[in-house]
Amino acid sequence: MKKVGIFGGTFDPVHLGHLRAAEEFAEGLKLDHVIMVPSANPPHREESPGAGPRDRLEMVRLATGANPRLEASDLEIERGGSSYTVDTLLEIRRRQPEWELFMALGTDAYNDISKWRRPGEVISLAHLVLLTRPGFAVDFLGPLPEALRTEYSREGDMYRHSAGATLRSMSVSALDISAGSIRSLVSRGLSIRYLVHSDVFEYIQRKGIY
Ligand code: ATP
């Protein structure tokens, strides 16, 4: 069975923090590959993204093109509208029922999971891997809606859902880069070289994004 990772985000723009985390996620869990899925219209963000969906997808394509471990997916952008994780997982399941899915989540995103659409399905469709900074403790069950907490039992250093999917953490390199800080640097006319993949750097410059 193929082990496949899913790494979602706004990727506005994709930066080296995302790419390094995805690389360590793939390597650490011995995944066959990681699909990076830029969202069309992130339902939980207050401001709309700076770059359009096509540009965000193209930047993910440029950043991952030379890496056989990472792959850009147009699934959410093609679907359009608000991007709900449950719909994405169900679609990947439908297309590739034989894949074992591992979904990477930043703890910031996981802390909001009770606000997601159908979180009960999300946690049973894929193994959840909470990406943490080295040395940070994770509250595994706290963010879940109360009714879902009882579905889990402890298994070593992870939790297992009654449907079989696991919930675990993985520590990844803490590169202090955020998409917000990159947008801010560009808008102030400052350099973002070495914060993003060189092809992404050139793309942003050429198209005058942000
Ligand atoms: P913004 O600054 O616009 O909020 P961001 O840099 O956090 O954006 P997102 O597209 O929102 O980027 O993040 C996608 C995923 O990548 C999330 O799970 C987030 O936790 C994770 N992530 C973001 N920055 C880093 C980083 N520097 N290292 C590791 N993971 C990161």
Side-chain angles (χ1 to χ4, degrees):
M1 192 194 275
K2 256 194 167 187
K3 290 169 68 174
V4 174
I6 300 163
F7 193 107
T10 317
F11 302 129
D12 187 20
V14 64
H15 55 67
L16 298 190
H18 298 132
L19 295 167
R20 184 63 209 171
E23 180 79 357
E24 292 183 25
F25 173 47
E27 192 167 50
L29 292 178
K30 301 189 168 58
L31 304 177
D32 290 284
H33 60 276
V34 170
I35 309 174
M36 302 196 58
V37 194
S39 58
N41 193 357
H44 301 295
R45 273 170 71 121
E46 277 140 35
E47 25 167 322
S48 57
R54 293 279 149 206
D55 282 329
R56 291 186 288 107
L57 174 62
E58 185 56 26
M59 290 189 277
V60 175
R61 284 197 172 125
L62 289 170
T64 56
N67 184 348
R69 271 206 180 111
L70 306 183
E71 191 182 293
S73 166
D74 64 2
L75 211 143
E76 293 191 350
I77 285 172
E78 283 299 318
R79 194 167 67 226
S82 291
S83 298
Y84 293 103
T85 301
V86 67
D87 298 332
T88 303
L89 290 176
L90 286 168
E91 181 59 22
I92 295 173
R93 261 279 119 97
R94 193 185 63 75
R95 293 187 195 180
Q96 305 286 355
E98 75 290 0
W99 283 359
E100 185 177 15
L101 302 178
F102 292 77
M103 191 172 73
L105 272 183
T107 42
D108 48 344
Y110 181 65
N111 286 338
D112 283 339
I113 193 165
S114 60
K115 296 187 210 144
W116 291 18
R117 178 176 280 194
R118 311 209 300 271
E121 275 179 77
V122 171
I123 62 176
S124 58
L125 283 164
H127 301 285
L128 292 198
V129 183
L130 309 182
L131 302 181
T132 61
R133 299 182 169 237
F136 263 71
V138 179
D139 182 4
F140 283 102
L141 302 186
L144 292 171
E146 199 160 345
L148 300 180
R149 288 183 209 151
T150 52
E151 296 289 328
Y152 280 98
S153 46
R154 182 118 208 177
E155 202 178 285
D157 55 3
M158 58 173 101
Y159 287 84
R160 191 175 290 276
H161 188 268
S162 55
T166 57
L167 170 63
R168 72 188 85 189
S169 70
M170 180 179 170
S171 105
V172 293
S173 297
L175 300 186
D176 191 12
I177 307 175
S178 73
S181 65
I182 289 170
R183 294 194 298 274
S184 160
L185 288 169
V186 177
S187 71
R188 287 180 288 140
L190 298 171
S191 167
I192 57 164
R193 200 189 287 273
Y194 311 127
L195 294 175
V196 296
H197 186 286
S198 54
D199 291 352
V200 172
F201 172 75
E202 277 166 28
Y203 187 85
I204 291 171
Q205 277 211 320
R206 181 160 51 80
K207 297 208 63 181
I209 302 170
Y210 306 117

